[in-house]
Each structure stands twice: as C-alpha cells, then as structure tokens.
Amino acid sequence: MVITVAGEKKEVKDGLTLPELIEQENVEMPEYVTVSVNEEFIATEDKESTVLKDGDNVEFLYFMGGGC
C-alpha cells in the first residue's frame, strides 16, 4: 500500500501499525512525538493500536521550545 509520510509517498506493507512506522522512520524520542493521520491527532493511548490504511497521510509533530 502507499501512504504519505511528511509529504513523501512511501510504499509500505499492508497492515502497518503506527509503532512500526515510527520505528521504520527512525523517529527520535518517539515517546515525545505527536502523530496526526489524515489531519487528526492520534491520542497517546491509541498509538499502539493504530493500523494505517492505503492512502493515509501521516505527519510527525515535535514540540520546539525556545524564545527569549
């Protein structure tokens, strides 16, 4: 199946779970990343059970602190 990850189309196995994708994408500090699938945020407690579908659009969002 084909999904879009951070704007890039990728061929992945059918039934890929969100934790598998996070590992496959080498996401740094996955416990701190917020994930959206098709512009809907995935709750932390739902990450483990989320199975991706053909055509899904996945974004990884990181908190960035800073300022004066």
Side-chain angles (χ1 to χ4, degrees):
M1 71 179 179
V2 177
I3 63 173
T4 304
V5 179
E8 182 180 333
K9 291 198 181 288
K10 297 190 176 213
E11 182 79 31
V12 297
K13 71 174 186 161
D14 288 345
L16 185 73
T17 65
L18 192 49
E20 289 173 326
L21 178 64
I22 288 171
E23 183 177 328
Q24 186 175 306
E25 291 295 309
N26 296 316
V27 172
E28 290 183 30
M29 298 191 310
E31 63 276 11
Y32 296 115
V33 70
T34 299
V35 181
S36 73
V37 177
N38 302 324
E39 298 183 8
E40 291 190 25
F41 292 109
I42 305 300
T44 301
E45 59 271 10
D46 294 334
K47 281 183 185 177
E48 290 294 320
S49 62
T50 300
V51 178
L52 300 169
K53 299 176 292 302
D54 189 47
D56 278 350
N57 182 19
V58 181
E59 296 288 338
F60 299 116
L61 307 162
Y62 300 90
F63 174 75
M64 299 191 126
C68 297

